[in-house]
Amino acid sequence: RGATTDALDALYRHQWPGNIRELRNAVLRAAVLAGGEWLERSHLVGLLPGVEGAVPDVARREVVEAK
């Protein structure tokens, strides 16, 4: 459905030293983590430097399964 104001703020504040593909990849990865209708700031943890907070349960599960 969309992104929360906090998520959009985090995306806006990141300097994006790469290019538009870096932004696209970060949004796509976060959308997979979101797994629902709303992309939240917590879905950007680990994808954007400086975004801190709790890592979503889906991300933790993927790390455990990858080991």
Side-chain angles (χ1 to χ4, degrees):
R1 190 175 261 206
T4 64
T5 305
D6 287 341
L8 290 175
D9 184 56
L11 290 168
Y12 177 75
R13 290 178 183 271
H14 185 64
Q15 294 185 1
W16 301 108
N19 53 39
I20 193 68
R21 285 179 282 191
E22 183 182 359
L23 169 62
R24 180 181 180 270
N25 289 336
V27 170
L28 288 175
R29 288 179 184 151
V32 168
L33 290 176
E37 293 188 9
W38 292 99
L39 178 71
E40 298 178 9
R41 184 181 182 90
S42 64
H43 299 123
L44 299 169
V45 173
L47 298 176
L48 298 180
V51 176
E52 298 176 359
V55 177
D57 289 335
V58 174
R60 277 187 246 152
R61 185 171 55 244
E62 288 176 356
V63 170
V64 171
E65 290 174 359
K67 290 182 179 179

